Protein backbone atom coordinates (compact mmCIF):
# COMPACT_ATOMS: atom_id res chain seq x y z
CA UNK A 1 0.00 0.00 0.00
CA UNK A 2 1.08 3.56 -0.64
CA UNK A 3 -0.54 6.57 1.00
CA UNK A 4 -0.52 9.94 -0.72
CA UNK A 5 -0.94 12.68 1.87
CA UNK A 6 -0.47 16.37 2.53
CA UNK A 7 0.96 17.36 5.93
CA UNK A 8 -1.78 18.33 8.38
CA UNK A 9 -4.59 17.70 5.87
CA UNK A 10 -7.44 15.25 6.41
CA UNK A 11 -5.16 12.55 4.99
CA UNK A 12 -3.48 12.62 8.40
CA UNK A 13 -6.32 10.35 9.59
CA UNK A 14 -5.34 7.51 7.25
CA UNK A 15 -1.67 8.10 8.05
CA UNK A 16 -2.41 7.67 11.77
CA UNK A 17 -4.51 4.53 11.27
CA UNK A 18 -1.79 2.96 9.12
CA UNK A 19 0.74 3.58 11.91
CA UNK A 20 -1.76 2.39 14.55
CA UNK A 21 -2.28 -0.92 12.76
CA UNK A 22 1.36 -1.47 11.86
CA UNK A 23 0.36 -2.40 8.30
CA UNK A 24 3.30 -2.24 5.90
CA UNK A 25 3.01 0.81 3.68
CA UNK A 26 4.87 3.55 1.89
CA UNK A 27 3.84 7.18 1.96
CA UNK A 28 4.51 10.21 -0.23
CA UNK A 29 3.69 13.84 0.39
CA UNK A 30 1.67 15.79 -2.17
CA UNK A 31 1.73 19.51 -2.90
CA UNK A 32 -2.02 20.01 -3.27
CA UNK A 33 -1.77 23.45 -4.90
CA UNK A 34 0.81 22.37 -7.49
CA UNK A 35 -0.71 18.86 -7.82
CA UNK A 36 2.77 17.35 -7.63
CA UNK A 37 4.10 14.51 -5.52
CA UNK A 38 7.31 14.92 -3.50
CA UNK A 39 9.13 12.86 -6.15
CA UNK A 40 7.92 15.24 -8.89
CA UNK A 41 5.09 13.12 -10.25
CA UNK A 42 1.81 14.46 -11.62
CA UNK A 43 -0.65 13.86 -8.80
CA UNK A 44 -3.66 14.27 -11.10
CA UNK A 45 -2.44 11.20 -12.99
CA UNK A 46 -2.72 9.30 -9.69
CA UNK A 47 -5.93 10.89 -8.41
CA UNK A 48 -7.85 12.99 -10.96
CA UNK A 49 -9.86 14.49 -8.08
CA UNK A 50 -6.66 16.22 -6.99
CA UNK A 51 -7.40 15.77 -3.29
CA UNK A 52 -5.79 13.73 -0.55
CA UNK A 53 -5.80 11.09 0.69
CA UNK A 54 -5.32 8.51 -2.02
CA UNK A 55 -4.26 4.96 -1.27
CA UNK A 56 -2.46 2.86 -3.84
CA UNK A 57 -3.41 -0.81 -3.51
CA UNK A 58 -1.65 -2.80 -6.21
CA UNK A 59 -2.99 -1.42 -9.49
CA UNK A 60 -5.93 0.27 -7.76
CA UNK A 61 -6.22 3.79 -6.32
CA UNK A 62 -8.75 4.25 -3.55
CA UNK A 63 -9.85 7.79 -2.66
CA UNK A 64 -12.04 9.48 -0.04
CA UNK A 65 -11.24 9.37 3.66
CA UNK A 66 -14.28 7.32 4.70
CA UNK A 67 -13.54 4.57 2.18
CA UNK A 68 -9.79 4.51 2.88
CA UNK A 69 -10.24 4.39 6.65
CA UNK A 70 -12.70 1.50 6.35
CA UNK A 71 -10.38 -0.34 3.97
CA UNK A 72 -7.43 -0.02 6.37
CA UNK A 73 -9.60 -1.08 9.32
CA UNK A 74 -10.79 -4.17 7.47
CA UNK A 75 -7.32 -4.99 6.17
CA UNK A 76 -5.90 -4.84 9.71
CA UNK A 77 -8.70 -7.04 11.06
CA UNK A 78 -8.75 -4.93 14.21
CA UNK A 79 -12.24 -5.20 15.74
CA UNK A 80 -11.60 -2.18 17.98
CA UNK A 81 -10.67 0.14 15.12
CA UNK A 82 -13.49 -1.16 12.91
CA UNK A 83 -15.86 -3.89 14.13
CA UNK A 84 -16.53 -6.61 11.59
CA UNK A 85 -20.32 -6.56 11.64
CA UNK A 86 -23.36 -5.32 13.50
CA UNK A 87 -24.43 -2.02 15.01
CA UNK A 88 -20.99 -1.22 16.43
CA UNK A 89 -19.57 -1.16 12.89
CA UNK A 90 -22.40 1.03 11.65
CA UNK A 91 -21.81 3.51 14.48
CA UNK A 92 -18.22 3.95 13.30
CA UNK A 93 -19.44 4.40 9.71
CA UNK A 94 -22.05 6.86 10.97
CA UNK A 95 -19.28 8.97 12.55
CA UNK A 96 -17.18 8.80 9.39
CA UNK A 97 -20.14 10.03 7.35
CA UNK A 98 -20.89 12.89 9.75
CA UNK A 99 -17.27 13.98 9.96
CA UNK A 100 -16.91 13.92 6.16
CA UNK A 101 -20.20 15.48 5.12
CA UNK A 102 -20.94 17.90 7.94
CA UNK A 103 -17.82 18.78 9.91
CA UNK A 104 -15.14 18.69 7.20
CA UNK A 105 -17.25 20.56 4.65
CA UNK A 106 -18.00 23.29 7.21
CA UNK A 107 -14.32 24.27 7.16
CA UNK A 108 -14.27 24.83 3.38
CA UNK A 109 -14.81 28.61 3.27
CA UNK A 110 -12.06 29.12 5.87
CA UNK A 111 -9.47 27.70 3.46
CA UNK A 112 -10.68 29.69 0.44
CA UNK A 113 -8.83 32.94 -0.35
CA UNK A 114 -11.99 34.06 -2.17
CA UNK A 115 -14.08 33.99 1.03
CA UNK A 116 -14.98 37.37 2.51
CA UNK A 117 -14.58 38.06 6.23
CA UNK A 118 -18.36 37.68 6.65
CA UNK A 119 -18.35 34.31 4.89
CA UNK A 120 -15.44 33.14 7.01
CA UNK A 121 -17.20 34.20 10.20
CA UNK A 122 -20.30 32.34 9.09
CA UNK A 123 -18.16 29.24 8.54
CA UNK A 124 -16.63 29.61 12.03
CA UNK A 125 -20.13 29.83 13.48
CA UNK A 126 -21.17 26.68 11.62
CA UNK A 127 -18.04 24.81 12.71
CA UNK A 128 -18.88 25.93 16.26
CA UNK A 129 -22.33 24.32 16.00
CA UNK A 130 -20.76 21.09 14.75
CA UNK A 131 -18.28 21.24 17.63
CA UNK A 132 -21.14 21.79 20.10
CA UNK A 133 -22.63 18.49 18.95
CA UNK A 134 -19.26 16.71 19.15
CA UNK A 135 -18.62 18.19 22.59
CA UNK A 136 -21.89 16.74 23.88
CA UNK A 137 -21.23 13.41 22.15
CA UNK A 138 -17.86 13.06 23.90
CA UNK A 139 -19.31 13.68 27.37
CA UNK A 140 -18.12 10.81 29.57
CA UNK A 141 -16.27 9.11 26.69
CA UNK A 142 -12.63 8.97 25.69
CA UNK A 143 -13.40 8.48 21.99
CA UNK A 144 -16.36 8.94 19.65
CA UNK A 145 -17.70 5.39 20.03
CA UNK A 146 -16.61 4.75 23.62
CA UNK A 147 -13.47 3.80 25.52
CA UNK A 148 -11.34 2.78 22.52
CA UNK A 149 -10.17 4.58 19.39
CA UNK A 150 -11.91 3.68 16.14
CA UNK A 151 -10.93 4.68 12.59
CA UNK A 152 -13.19 7.73 12.96
CA UNK A 153 -11.23 9.37 15.78
CA UNK A 154 -8.08 10.25 13.78
CA UNK A 155 -10.32 12.05 11.26
CA UNK A 156 -11.69 14.29 14.02
CA UNK A 157 -8.17 14.75 15.40
CA UNK A 158 -6.90 15.99 12.04
CA UNK A 159 -9.65 18.61 11.80
CA UNK A 160 -9.09 19.82 15.35
CA UNK A 161 -5.53 20.57 14.27
CA UNK A 162 -6.81 23.20 11.84
CA UNK A 163 -8.54 25.34 14.46
CA UNK A 164 -5.63 27.43 15.75
CA UNK A 165 -4.65 29.09 12.49
CA UNK A 166 -8.28 29.47 11.38
CA UNK A 167 -9.31 31.64 14.33
CA UNK A 168 -11.24 29.00 16.28
CA UNK A 169 -10.41 28.73 19.98
CA UNK A 170 -10.71 25.06 20.94
CA UNK A 171 -10.70 25.97 24.66
CA UNK A 172 -14.44 26.65 24.33
CA UNK A 173 -14.97 22.88 24.08
CA UNK A 174 -13.25 21.11 27.00
CA UNK A 175 -14.20 17.59 25.89
CA UNK A 176 -12.77 18.21 22.42
CA UNK A 177 -9.64 19.73 23.97
CA UNK A 178 -9.20 16.67 26.21
CA UNK A 179 -9.84 14.37 23.24
CA UNK A 180 -7.12 16.12 21.21
CA UNK A 181 -4.63 15.81 24.07
CA UNK A 182 -5.54 12.14 24.51
CA UNK A 183 -4.91 11.50 20.83
CA UNK A 184 -1.59 13.37 20.93
CA UNK A 185 -0.36 10.88 23.54
CA UNK A 186 -0.74 7.91 21.19
CA UNK A 187 2.55 6.67 19.69
CA UNK A 188 0.92 6.41 16.25
CA UNK A 189 -0.07 10.08 16.35
CA UNK A 190 3.37 11.16 17.55
CA UNK A 191 4.99 9.16 14.74
CA UNK A 192 2.76 10.75 12.10
CA UNK A 193 3.20 14.28 13.43
CA UNK A 194 6.96 13.75 13.19
CA UNK A 195 6.74 12.18 9.72
CA UNK A 196 4.60 15.09 8.47
CA UNK A 197 6.96 17.69 9.95
CA UNK A 198 4.37 18.92 12.45
CA UNK A 199 5.93 17.74 15.73
Amino acid sequence: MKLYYSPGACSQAAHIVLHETGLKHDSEAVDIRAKKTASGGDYLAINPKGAVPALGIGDEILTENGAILQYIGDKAGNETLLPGAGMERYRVIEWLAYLGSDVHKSFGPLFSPASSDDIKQGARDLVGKRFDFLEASLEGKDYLTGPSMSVADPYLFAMLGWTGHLGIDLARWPNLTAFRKRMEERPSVQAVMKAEGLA
Side-chain angles (χ1 to χ4, degrees):
M1 286 185 291
K2 182 172 183 177
L3 176 70
Y4 295 91
Y5 73 94
S6 183
C10 66
S11 53
Q12 189 178 77
H15 212 173
I16 290 168
V17 175
L18 281 167
H19 278 263
E20 186 79 24
T21 62
L23 287 172
K24 186 177 179 183
H25 68 281
D26 296 316
S27 58
E28 185 170 4
V30 175
D31 181 333
I32 291 298
R33 294 192 194 283
K35 307 301 181 193
K36 293 286 183 186
T37 67
S39 60
D42 176 8
Y43 186 59
L44 291 175
I46 296 165
N47 179 10
K49 295 175 183 175
V52 289
L55 187 66
I57 309 161
D59 294 333
E60 299 279 345
I61 294 290
L62 187 63
T63 65
E64 304 299 330
N65 238 345
I68 290 171
L69 291 167
Q70 288 178 69
Y71 176 85
I72 297 168
D74 282 334
K75 186 78 172 172
N78 185 317
E79 290 282 321
T80 302
L81 286 172
L82 184 63
M87 189 54 70
E88 289 182 349
R89 180 184 181 91
Y90 298 120
R91 289 298 181 199
V92 175
I93 294 171
E94 179 182 36
W95 276 118
L96 287 172
Y98 178 72
L99 293 171
S101 64
D102 289 70
V103 184
H104 192 164
K105 293 301 180 189
S106 299
F107 279 95
L110 296 171
F111 288 109
S112 172
S115 295
S116 68
D117 288 344
D118 285 346
I119 289 174
K120 287 185 177 182
Q121 188 53 54
R124 285 187 195 95
D125 292 343
L126 183 55
V127 169
K129 288 178 183 175
R130 305 295 190 227
F131 280 9
D132 288 343
F133 174 74
L134 288 160
E135 176 75 8
S137 298
L138 281 167
E139 185 65 39
K141 293 192 292 190
D142 287 344
Y143 299 96
L144 290 169
T145 56
S148 301
M149 188 186 91
S150 76
V151 296
D153 294 290
Y155 195 179
L156 174 56
F157 172 80
M159 289 186 280
L160 294 178
W162 304 338
T163 57
H165 68 276
L166 294 177
I168 299 170
D169 184 2
L170 201 56
R172 176 177 151 193
W173 299 279
N175 290 334
L176 284 174
T177 301
F179 167 84
R180 179 158 176 81
K181 288 179 180 174
R182 194 174 300 117
M183 288 290 293
E184 286 173 340
E185 293 170 359
R186 299 183 78 92
S188 60
V189 173
Q190 293 172 12
V192 168
M193 297 296 276
K194 184 177 180 181
E196 295 192 359
L198 302 171

